[in-house]
Amino acid sequence: EVFFAARAAAAAHAMAVVGVVSKGFSNLSTSASKPFAEGGAGSSVPRDSFFRAMSLSLSAIRPLGRYAEVRQKVLMLLHRMADTLAEQLVTFLQPALPQLLSYCDAKEVSEVVTLLNQLVLKLKAKLQGPISLLVPQLTAAIFALVAQLDAALAASSSADSPAGAPQSDDAREGRG
C-alpha cells in the first residue's frame, strides 16, 4: 500500500507539472496549419507532448484511481487540456470517464459535469455525438451518489432517534 501511495503522489505531481506548463499554451488542436510565428508549425511538438501526457495521466486512473489526489489532478489536467487540446480531448473522455467516475466522490462528479459543460460551451455542435455517449455514464454516477447520500441520511437519522418517536422541527431539519 505504501508503494501505491508513493506512486500516486508522484503521478499527481507529474500531472500538476503538466498542468502548469500547459498554461503557456492555448488551443493547439487547430494551429498546425499556421506558420511557426503564429503558433503553428512548431506547435505540433507541444500538442503531441500534451496529448501523450494526457494519455499517461488517464492511464493512471486504473491502478491509482482510489487516491483522491490522483483523481483531482486528472480532473485539473482535463480542464487545462480543454483549452489546450480542445476537440482532441474528446477522444480521451469516452474510455476514461467510466474509470474516473467509478472512484469519484460527489465533488469530483460535479467537476466532471463542469468539465463537460466547459467542452460543450467551447466546441458546441462538434461534441453532440461524443457527449451523447457520455451522458448515460455520468447520469449513472450521479444517481449512484444520490443513492449513497440517501442511504447515509437514512442511517444517520435512524441512529439519532428511535423508530416511530416524534421529532421536533429542529431535529427533523437537522438543527438539533
Side-chain angles (χ1 to χ4, degrees):
E1 185 62 31
V2 174
F3 173 76
F4 281 110
R7 291 287 185 183
H13 179 73
M15 288 180 235
V17 168
V18 171
V20 168
V21 170
S22 72
K23 287 185 177 186
F25 298 88
S26 60
N27 190 351
L28 296 175
S29 66
T30 60
S31 59
S33 62
K34 296 178 184 176
F36 184 77
E38 296 176 20
S43 69
S44 67
V45 172
R47 181 182 55 245
D48 294 344
S49 297
F50 288 131
F51 196 83
R52 180 72 178 139
M54 194 72 245
S55 295
L56 291 171
S57 297
L58 291 174
S59 68
I61 294 173
R62 185 167 295 203
L64 304 172
R66 67 180 180 268
Y67 296 97
E69 64 182 327
V70 171
R71 294 190 309 269
Q72 291 166 355
K73 295 302 179 189
V74 165
L75 285 167
M76 177 272 308
L77 196 56
L78 283 167
H79 278 289
R80 285 298 314 136
M81 292 300 117
D83 291 333
T84 307
L85 296 176
E87 63 266 3
Q88 290 177 329
L89 182 63
V90 177
T91 61
F92 293 111
L93 292 176
Q94 184 63 31
L97 197 63
Q99 293 174 13
L100 184 61
L101 289 173
S102 68
Y103 295 109
C104 281
D105 61 15
K107 184 177 183 237
E108 293 163 341
V109 169
S110 174
E111 285 292 320
V112 171
V113 170
T114 302
L115 171 69
L116 293 178
N117 187 40
Q118 178 184 6
L119 288 170
V120 166
L121 290 173
K122 185 173 183 82
L123 303 173
K124 298 181 180 36
K126 295 177 185 176
L127 282 182
Q128 183 179 359
I131 288 291
S132 65
L133 297 173
L134 300 174
V135 169
Q137 299 163 355
L138 187 58
T139 305
I142 291 170
F143 280 117
L145 284 170
V146 168
Q148 288 175 357
L149 293 172
D150 191 36
L153 183 62
S156 70
S157 67
S158 66
D160 290 343
S161 64
Q167 293 181 339
S168 68
D169 286 340
D170 289 340
R172 202 172 35 251
E173 293 177 11
R175 294 183 294 208

